[in-house]
């Protein structure tokens, strides 16, 4: 049988994804509305976040962001997507 992995709480990871984006100055809602991000990509981001084992580190990173961050944390599974969205602003 295939490997079964537990997924984290959807609401928690939805907000973690949005919060990291916001800390970078990226609005996922605007990216969706502007066509820079598809609904499928967005859903995939949240699902990937739910599979991530770095939730505690992510929350710690977010708590330390007093100003806009210049890049996503290195452990973030969405760093490439966030970089692309930053360049498209």
């Amino acid at each position: 049988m295939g490997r079964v992995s537990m997924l984290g709480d959807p609401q928690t990871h939805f907000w973690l994804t949005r919060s990291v984006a916001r800390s970078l100055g990226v609005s996922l809602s605007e990216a969706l509305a502007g066509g820079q991000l598809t609904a499928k990509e967005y859903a995939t981001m949240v699902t990937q976040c739910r599979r991530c084992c770095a939730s505690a580190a992510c929350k710690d990173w977010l708590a330390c962001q007093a100003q806009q961050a210049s890049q996503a944390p290195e452990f973030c599974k969405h760093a490439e997507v966030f970089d692309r969205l930053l360049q498209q602003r």
Side-chain angles (χ1 to χ4, degrees):
M1 289 189 81
R3 182 175 173 212
V4 175
S5 63
M6 298 298 290
L7 296 175
D9 176 63
Q11 187 172 0
T12 298
H13 293 276
F14 170 81
W15 287 111
L16 285 175
T17 300
R18 288 187 69 87
S19 296
V20 171
R22 184 167 305 260
S23 74
L24 295 166
V26 172
S27 168
L28 295 177
S29 297
E30 289 178 13
L32 279 165
Q36 292 92 13
L37 185 69
T38 67
K40 183 177 180 178
E41 288 173 315
Y42 192 9
T44 298
M45 289 175 73
V46 175
T47 300
Q48 287 176 336
C49 186
R50 291 179 67 202
R51 289 186 182 119
C52 184
C53 60
S55 295
C58 187
K59 290 174 187 176
D60 290 343
W61 182 87
L62 286 165
C64 292
Q65 301 310 306
Q67 298 180 8
Q68 185 172 318
S70 60
Q71 63 184 33
E74 58 190 47
F75 55 79
C76 184
K77 295 181 179 291
H78 314 307
E80 289 181 23
V81 175
F82 290 140
D83 286 345
R84 175 176 55 87
L85 294 173
L86 280 168
Q87 292 175 3
Q88 293 176 344
R89 281 192 304 176

